[in-house]
Amino acid sequence: MKRIILFALFLQFILVTSAQTIATEKKIEALIKKMTLEEKVGMIHGNTAFSTAGVKRLGIPELIMSDGPHGVNYERPLDWSTPRPPSLDSGTYLPVGICLASTWNPALGYEFGKVLGSEAAFRKKHIILGPGINIMRNPLNGRNFEYQSEDPYLISKMVVGYIKGVQEQGVAACVKHFIANNQEVQRNSINVEMSERALREIYLPGFKAAVEAGVSTIMGSYSQFRGEYCTHNDYLVNKILKGEWKFKGPMISDWGAVHNTMQAIENGCDIEMGSELAMLPNINYSKFFLGDTVVSLVKAGRVKEALIDEKVRRILRVMYQYNMIEGKMRAGQYNTRAHQLTALKVAEEGIVLLKNEQDLLPLNKSTIKSIAVIGNNAIRLQGFGGGSSQVKAFYEISPLQGIKNFVNNEVKIDFAQGYEDHKGATANTELIAQAVSLASKADVVIFVGGWTHGYDYNKWDDNAFDAENVDKPNMDMPFGQNELITALQKANKNMVVVLVGGGAIDMTQCEPNTKAIVQAWYAGMEGGNALANILFGKTNPSGKLPVTFPKKLADASAIKLGEYPGNGINVVYKDDIFVGYRYHDTYNVKPQFAFGHGLSYTQFQYDKLQLTKLSGNVVQVSFTITNTGKVAGAEVAQVYVKQIKSALPRPDKELKDFQKVTLQPGETKKIAIELKADAFQYYNDKLYKWVLEKGKFEIKVGGASDHISLSEIVELY
């Protein structure tokens, strides 16, 4: 009876939703019929730096956008050349995308999105330009910090919550950059060549998951793909995004990513933002590729007006979805204490404990008399760095301030700069000597170094390693940090290395003699407090790496197998499907720290793996996890699949599910996960379809891709 009632309610929901959709489509068609050609064209290109034109006489507002993806961007001027207007634009600075993904907690992705959507609504923004979900193919990519993972399944799980969180606040999310924006060097021109298999298995799944989750808008990439720019690429946009996936919203160009009027009209670009003219003084927005030229082409009979109508139709769907035309958008909230606490929670769950020999961590402030905090990243504020993702934080707690907040004058804290972090800086013997002097007198040394964002929007190359429009020159620790760390290690063996940044850094020199290493990312406005909570054990770390940290650059899959940055014209993804851990585990290349790796202050034991075959090639995977330590903690149980024998090469393992579970000391929980048929499939690009081959599959369960505790074979027919 209960099932019948639920089915009836579901059917009623479908019927009501369908009726509402039909009614909305009728309203849209009626509006389009009332619009002049010039009014339609005004809606498909920028009218200011961050908006398109509305049609006031018909009640159609401007469509206003804001950069994200980890905080609503500061208020930019309406035109690039004018001063920024004064406004209330200091908001919640959330941890960056790679930190969010390190939580392996989709529910936190939803809370993250709620904050972003609510603050965007408060600021009267219609679209927040996030999340960024490009695959971390290459550790040098300057925007890896914005993105989430090297693994398409992890991205797919995390992106759904983010999108739903944003859009339930009455603001449209804009997933980006579709597709293959995997390097910043030559991003405006480089042509990406990859196999259909790599496209389908690695680079598309996150975007497909976003569309299935109901994302309202999508932003195109700067690069070319197989000879056409991604923003107006017939295969990617028309055939896959709008054809196969039935995406109903607008494709928005990245700023200046449109290069051809006819391709933009015919190949699916619906809104052109920030044309190549955008940085010129006294910009004439009507001269964009989708500006006055389109009006002339339609009037001359060279372009059908129906093509323009379709673009407007997609834009109006978003406007009706979020009540923009009726003027009933949500009010939103701005930088509330609840928002700040979400930033803290994400940072705490995202910070990763990479190494902890001799249980140096957690520190006990009751037994420590003095701490030497060394390194410029201990005091550097990061929110206003990185390029278009800059956030003007209402406040930002630095690592040093967070440590001071935690010890509350109960422990003596001394600070030394240790290194200069301006461009081209090398080891400074005077600063090193000052740091060593403090370290030799302290009970514990906390070194805070790593990468930097850079400070200023217009000076991304000053101190910028993690930033838009630049890639890192290498993986080496900049500013002479290796020399400094070596000197500090000799002065004090009790040293914690805290690394700030958006991805892997070469630790081969500093790691062997360092007892504890913490990956702190760019952890948002509460990052310093979150770091201190972990260092002193108030929070038990549970973050796991969403990307492999190779030992050195030469070990990275894109460098070893593929091409980077290409020959200036093309970049061929010869690494194919073997990205990140798929490469390391298949080719037996030991990383510095593996995908999925992250330590805790407790220990977990995996037991009792059982595989049960259900109908339709569904396999139920069950196992237990026990907290065998003395403190409560959370573990991310990761389930990988390996096909024993296949017609085409497959990786040693592929992540197919995970679950984060919190356990009290001594507590045991049973985990049950269903792997559906698609968990065993791969894309056969000789047959141009997904296939599930009969045969044996190994199910691997553990706490990291290189730490498999349980495995069992299942045979599918």
Side-chain angles (χ1 to χ4, degrees), residues 353-405:
L353 178 59
L354 296 176
K355 184 177 181 180
N356 191 25
E357 286 187 351
Q358 300 174 23
D359 292 332
L360 177 59
L361 295 175
L363 303 174
N364 186 341
K365 67 178 181 179
S366 65
T367 60
I368 295 174
K369 295 181 179 178
S370 62
I371 297 174
V373 179
I374 311 294
N376 239 17
N377 269 346
I379 58 172
R380 177 191 276 271
L381 303 183
Q382 305 285 359
F384 212 65
S388 62
S389 65
Q390 293 168 309
V391 180
K392 195 167 133 186
F394 186 72
Y395 64 84
E396 183 178 347
I397 306 297
S398 69
L400 178 61
Q401 187 59 52
I403 292 167
K404 287 182 175 180
N405 291 346

Side-chain angles (χ1 to χ4, degrees), residues 298-314:
V298 173
K299 288 184 175 180
R302 295 176 58 190
V303 169
K304 293 181 180 179
E305 191 167 349
L307 288 173
I308 313 307
D309 290 349
E310 174 60 13
K311 298 178 190 301
V312 174
R313 185 176 294 115
R314 289 174 176 272

Side-chain angles (χ1 to χ4, degrees), residues 400-551:
L400 178 61
Q401 187 59 52
I403 292 167
K404 287 182 175 180
N405 291 346
F406 192 92
V407 301
N408 194 27
N409 296 320
E410 296 174 44
V411 179
K412 185 174 184 289
I413 304 294
D414 290 306
F415 170 75
Q417 180 181 345
Y419 63 88
E420 298 175 285
D421 61 1
H422 60 79
K423 190 176 181 182
T426 56
N428 184 309
T429 54
E430 183 178 340
L431 292 179
I432 290 176
Q434 293 171 0
V436 167
S437 176
L438 286 183
S440 64
K441 302 169 187 174
D443 293 332
V444 175
V445 175
I446 299 175
F447 170 77
V448 188
W451 302 114
T452 63
H453 261 323
Y455 286 114
D456 190 276
Y457 188 86
N458 296 311
K459 298 179 181 177
W460 292 338
D461 60 339
D462 287 346
N463 316 303
F465 292 93
D466 288 310
E468 184 176 2
N469 213 28
V470 297
D471 281 350
K472 301 179 183 75
N474 49 54
M475 273 177 54
D476 300 343
M477 282 194 174
F479 316 130
Q481 290 179 75
N482 272 321
E483 292 88 337
L484 172 59
I485 291 172
T486 299
L488 293 173
Q489 287 169 335
K490 292 176 181 178
N492 194 320
K493 298 298 182 185
N494 293 324
M495 184 166 75
V496 181
V497 169
V498 176
L499 295 170
V500 173
I505 197 167
D506 190 326
M507 304 180 212
T508 51
Q509 184 172 333
C510 75
E511 187 271 334
N513 296 314
T514 301
K515 289 183 180 180
I517 303 176
V518 176
Q519 181 62 47
W521 315 115
Y522 299 108
M525 66 195 303
E526 285 284 342
N529 287 334
L531 175 64
N533 288 345
I534 285 173
L535 293 176
F536 290 92
K538 181 179 179 181
T539 299
N540 192 350
S542 63
K544 299 274 191 174
L545 290 181
V547 61
T548 304
F549 279 14
K551 287 188 175 182

Side-chain angles (χ1 to χ4, degrees), residues 180-219:
N181 200 151
N182 307 113
Q183 64 188 64
E184 291 296 289
V185 170
Q186 301 164 355
R187 68 176 184 173
N188 293 300
S189 60
I190 199 74
N191 178 53
V192 174
E193 295 286 347
M194 71 170 75
S195 73
E196 190 70 12
R197 186 178 179 192
L199 176 67
R200 298 285 178 166
E201 290 190 21
I202 305 296
Y203 296 93
L204 282 180
F207 290 96
K208 187 172 188 287
V211 172
E212 291 172 347
V215 72
S216 296
T217 70
I218 287 181
M219 179 185 288

Side-chain angles (χ1 to χ4, degrees), residues 18-20 45 54 70 94 98 151 221 285 299 307 384 389 393 400 417 440 607 614 685 706:
S18 178
Q20 290 173 342
H45 67 81
H70 47 265
L94 293 156
I98 193 172
D151 183 79
S221 171
Y285 289 95
K299 288 184 175 180
L307 288 173
F384 212 65
S389 65
L400 178 61
Q417 180 181 345
S440 64
D607 286 303
L614 307 176
D685 53 3
D706 69 342

